[in-house]
Amino acid sequence: METRNHEKVTVMKQIKSRLGNIGNAITGVGAEARRLAKEDSRRIVHAFKVGLAVALVSLLYFFDFFFDGFGVNAMWAVMTVVVVFEFSVGATLGKGVNRAIATLLGGALGFAAHDAASYTGDKVQVILLGLSVFVIAVVATFCRFFPKMRTRYDYGLLIFILTFSLISVSGYRNDEVWDMAYGRLTTILVGCCATVLVCSLVRPVWAGEDLHKLTASNIQQLGTFLEVFGGVYFQEEAKDDKNQVLLNDYKSVLNSKGVEDSLTPLQHRAKIKEPCKMIISESSSALRELAMGIQTMTCSPSRDVHVVNAKSAAAKLKALMKTGLWPDADFLGIVPAVAVASLLTEVVLCTVKINEAVAKLASSARFKKVDRGIKKELSLDKMQRTPSIEGSHINIVVE
Amino acid sequence: METRNHEKVTVMKQIKSRLGNIGNAITGVGAEARRLAKEDSRRIVHAFKVGLAVALVSLLYFFDFFFDGFGVNAMWAVMTVVVVFEFSVGATLGKGVNRAIATLLGGALGFAAHDAASYTGDKVQVILLGLSVFVIAVVATFCRFFPKMRTRYDYGLLIFILTFSLISVSGYRNDEVWDMAYGRLTTILVGCCATVLVCSLVRPVWAGEDLHKLTASNIQQLGTFLEVFGGVYFQEEAKDDKNQVLLNDYKSVLNSKGVEDSLTPLQHRAKIKEPCKMIISESSSALRELAMGIQTMTCSPSRDVHVVNAKSAAAKLKALMKTGLWPDADFLGIVPAVAVASLLTEVVLCTVKINEAVAKLASSARFKKVDRGIKKELSLDKMQRTPSIEGSHINIVVE
């Protein structure tokens, strides 16, 4: 009796622990889902948009049996919605156009092949159709390896092979094939239209806008990183809590510098401190100005001032290094400080290049000219670096 | 009359130039196709394999009308072949399994939803089915954002939504739906089997094998590059034509060193020449040995000797730098030479790490132990760096 009881307890414990495991797994998935949704709330919106489009077109298919409009072909509309719906409007449009054109071309060519083969005998017909499907599939598949085709028309080529095979080998009589091809094309167009409408009207996502924000926030991050690096490298105290938070944010990046830091005696750093700090502050100010300019599509003249200041500081640093401040120092000990100095001069060169590129952008996109006196800092919550932006797009297509 | 003639001549010239343009375009496409085929001949084989599979399954569809086996559903087989056929066997298998399981799950769930809804009134049925399609689409679409799901089951989730919508909203009576679901599943299985058979039996491509070759050739290239760099940096003459060819191969990489080179006076280089050359020759020998070992799945003890030699050369170089060979030299002028020296010591550290990694690989993959006396050099045509390997796979899936 006691063993029985003992067994029961053991089984109960096992069940409990398994239930606990399942519970943990569910909690884990829930936490991951919350994280994904928080990182980019547009993901939830996207899921609901897809649900809406699929439900709409499915009901079309369902009612079809009462009104007898599209026939069995209506399922192509459901298929189109599921396959074509992408995260951003541009990608959806690209896929929809690809599918529509490929269906049209493949259908036309398939119809022609079917028609041509129907004038021959049964056996010849089979051989001709099999051969034509083979040749088209070989050529179109090889075309998918062309880099230009792959980036833009990969999906279209797939649909082209598909439609061609389906239509040409359908085995129907000519007029039936015509009906089938016509039905397939119209329902695919209905599906494409429904998809594009839902995608572009309900909280649309524009890849170009994301790129715009991403560029601005990346440049802003460069500036911030530079400043934080300067603070850490020259051993300054974190001024307030905000800085401390930033420091933690960049710790992973800074960790890679750990080895180098430990090799550099502090006295060497002190010698190049003045011009280096000047370079850092001016470059990061310039970068922040540039980021703000891209974000708000304005251009302020003060960024040029910062760039000029950074350039003159770099010249000073170079002169300082040429005069040889360390004639008797241990050679290996100096190298890291020299490396930092030369990297900083390169940072200035890069800042100048970024400045030129933004100036070009500003002139072609006709940024407004403003004198920024009041708004000195970009609100950080708007400009937070979001790796999620790339993560949300299954595939960023630049149209 | 003359104006007429003149006009004719102009028109003829225009036609000629246009024909010329078209001719040039065709030649360009032909050249690109030849280049793609030459880079990786398996691309042509792949195209023919797809053609074969599509033609085979299409004929199945075609004969279907005489034998009445699969019905209209047979087109799902054609579809499956076109969509599932990938470059490597692993990716094809992954997609096929995804498609089969997703169809099974989606079909079962769709059938259940359809069955449950059929017990209610007409209006309630429509609402219930629409709602279920909406919910399933929302949940499955959101699941596609989970990183783990995206890498492995992205395609399956798509097919799941598709099959569920098609089956649940089909509007047929229950027994008809069962026929439809059964037909769809069997034809998709036929398509998957045909695809996997053709893909794995006719000149199969294994992504793992490519990775194996790629790793070996990458390490080999590192070694070769190091040697060529040493030759160029220390201004040695190219010994023979083969070296000259290699130099041209790496010109693009070396061009980036142009600026640095011009800054380094030759006398500084001469001072560090001896240990640097030692490091270069020993490291590159070790890397070549390692590459050959990975390629042939053998391990030879001589690579350890090379690594030890490289380490001691690095120690010598460090000592040389510490003694301060250049007390009176222009400081800025020395920096590039010092940079090269410190990069080379880092190269030695990396070589040591690669050696350790390969040793681990050798013990877990049980490489054969051999003493390499005869075969001293890997045949280069087998080991040529092929960026094409990545380019050929539309998507390398590590299963």
Side-chain angles (χ1 to χ4, degrees), chain B residues 18-237:
Chain B
R18 275 191 196 172
L19 280 178
N21 282 345
I22 293 170
N24 284 343
I26 291 172
T27 325
V29 170
E32 173 80 356
R34 263 198 301 282
R35 191 187 66 74
L36 285 170
K38 206 180 163 193
E39 214 179 55
D40 191 349
S41 64
R42 298 173 307 173
R43 287 173 177 162
I44 295 181
V45 178
H46 172 70
F48 275 91
K49 280 161 71 179
V50 173
L52 183 68
V54 173
L56 276 180
V57 176
S58 290
L59 290 182
L60 181 88
Y61 184 32
F62 191 79
F63 282 122
D64 188 51
F65 276 79
F66 303 107
F67 300 112
D68 199 50
F70 295 107
V72 183
N73 275 317
M75 70 176 175
W76 294 112
V78 178
M79 214 154 184
T80 303
V81 172
V82 174
V83 177
V84 165
F85 213 117
E86 292 278 331
F87 195 71
S88 70
V89 178
T92 306
L93 217 59
K95 246 184 156 175
V97 169
N98 248 308
R99 192 179 172 95
I101 291 179
T103 304
L104 192 65
L105 282 181
L109 218 63
F111 186 72
H114 188 274
D115 192 50
S118 67
Y119 292 112
T120 59
D122 253 10
K123 276 188 189 167
V124 182
Q125 192 182 1
V126 171
I127 294 172
L128 273 184
L129 285 178
L131 209 65
S132 72
V133 167
F134 178 75
V135 169
I136 289 282
V138 168
V139 172
T141 304
F142 190 74
C143 281
R144 291 179 69 197
F145 287 116
F146 283 80
K148 271 183 196 167
M149 298 300 266
R150 193 190 292 183
T151 46
R152 278 175 171 258
Y153 308 115
D154 191 53
Y155 181 66
L157 283 167
L158 218 65
I159 297 295
F160 175 75
I161 304 176
L162 193 64
T163 311
F164 179 82
S165 319
L166 288 186
I167 301 271
S168 68
V169 201
S170 63
Y172 290 106
R173 290 193 317 277
N174 260 353
D175 52 337
E176 284 174 328
V177 170
W178 180 252
D179 281 353
M180 179 186 167
Y182 178 76
R184 180 160 151 77
L185 189 63
T186 46
T187 44
I188 281 182
L189 283 179
V190 167
C192 281
C193 290
T195 307
V196 170
L197 282 178
V198 172
C199 186
S200 59
L201 293 182
V202 185
R203 306 262 305 262
V205 172
W206 302 96
E209 207 174 83
D210 273 13
L211 197 65
H212 180 188
K213 273 188 199 157
L214 197 66
T215 312
S217 80
N218 276 346
I219 294 178
Q220 156 104 357
Q221 291 297 315
L222 281 179
T224 314
F225 171 73
L226 210 58
E227 240 172 31
V228 175
F229 171 76
V232 173
Y233 190 76
F234 294 110
Q235 308 268 321
E236 296 202 328
E237 293 298 312

Side-chain angles (χ1 to χ4, degrees), chain A residues 29 32-33 36 43-44 46-48 50-52 54-55 58-59 61-63 65 75-76 78-79 82 87 126 129-130 133-134 137-138 141-142 144-147 150 158 161-162 165-166 169-170 321-322 326 331-332 334-335 338 391-392, chain B residues 29 32-33 36 43-44 46-48 50-52 54-55 58-59 61-63 65 75-76 78-79 82 87 126 129-130 133-134 137-138 141-142 145-147 150 158 161-162 165-166 169-170 321-322 326 331-332 334-335 338 391-392 394:
Chain A
V29 170
E32 173 80 355
L36 285 170
R43 287 171 177 163
I44 296 182
H46 173 70
F48 275 91
V50 173
L52 181 67
V54 173
S58 291
L59 290 183
Y61 185 32
F62 190 80
F63 281 122
F65 276 79
M75 70 177 173
W76 294 112
V78 178
M79 212 153 186
V82 174
F87 195 72
V126 171
L129 285 178
V133 167
F134 179 75
V138 169
T141 304
F142 190 74
R144 290 179 68 199
F145 287 115
F146 283 79
R150 191 189 294 181
L158 218 66
I161 305 176
L162 192 65
S165 320
L166 287 186
V169 202
S170 63
M321 278 163 69
K322 263 222 172 108
W326 318 277
F331 199 81
L332 261 188
I334 307 166
V335 170
V338 175
S392 293
Chain B
V29 170
E32 173 80 356
L36 285 170
R43 287 173 177 162
I44 295 181
H46 172 70
F48 275 91
V50 173
L52 183 68
V54 173
S58 290
L59 290 182
Y61 184 32
F62 191 79
F63 282 122
F65 276 79
M75 70 176 175
W76 294 112
V78 178
M79 214 154 184
V82 174
F87 195 71
V126 171
L129 285 178
V133 167
F134 178 75
V138 168
T141 304
F142 190 74
F145 287 116
F146 283 80
R150 193 190 292 183
L158 218 65
I161 304 176
L162 193 64
S165 319
L166 288 186
V169 201
S170 63
M321 277 164 70
K322 262 220 171 109
W326 320 274
F331 199 80
L332 261 188
I334 307 167
V335 170
V338 176
S392 292
I394 284 129

Side-chain angles (χ1 to χ4, degrees), chain B residues 205-344:
Chain B
V205 172
W206 302 96
E209 207 174 83
D210 273 13
L211 197 65
H212 180 188
K213 273 188 199 157
L214 197 66
T215 312
S217 80
N218 276 346
I219 294 178
Q220 156 104 357
Q221 291 297 315
L222 281 179
T224 314
F225 171 73
L226 210 58
E227 240 172 31
V228 175
F229 171 76
V232 173
Y233 190 76
F234 294 110
Q235 308 268 321
E236 296 202 328
E237 293 298 312
K239 273 167 204 159
D240 49 38
D241 283 351
K242 202 177 149 199
N243 250 3
Q244 197 60 48
V245 172
L246 282 174
L247 265 179
N248 284 331
D249 273 5
Y250 297 108
K251 227 168 196 170
S252 58
V253 186
L254 292 172
N255 272 345
S256 62
K257 286 274 161 208
V259 185
E260 200 174 303
D261 277 353
S262 62
L263 289 170
T264 321
L266 286 177
Q267 70 269 26
H268 295 316
R269 294 190 203 174
K271 284 172 193 160
I272 54 167
K273 189 175 174 179
E274 226 32 69
C276 284
K277 288 201 71 183
M278 183 81 173
I279 289 177
I280 286 171
S281 77
E282 293 297 335
S283 297
S284 65
S285 299
L287 288 171
R288 275 149 185 263
E289 281 277 332
L290 288 168
M292 185 152 52
I294 293 176
Q295 171 81 349
T296 58
M297 294 189 71
T298 54
C299 53
S300 96
S302 62
R303 63 195 166 85
D304 285 330
V305 179
H306 288 305
V307 170
V308 169
N309 286 345
K311 266 183 177 169
S312 72
K316 261 183 214 162
L317 183 61
K318 236 175 180 167
L320 191 67
M321 277 164 70
K322 262 220 171 109
T323 56
L325 270 176
W326 320 274
D328 53 330
D330 167 31
F331 199 80
L332 261 188
I334 307 167
V335 170
V338 176
V340 167
S342 71
L343 282 176
L344 280 177

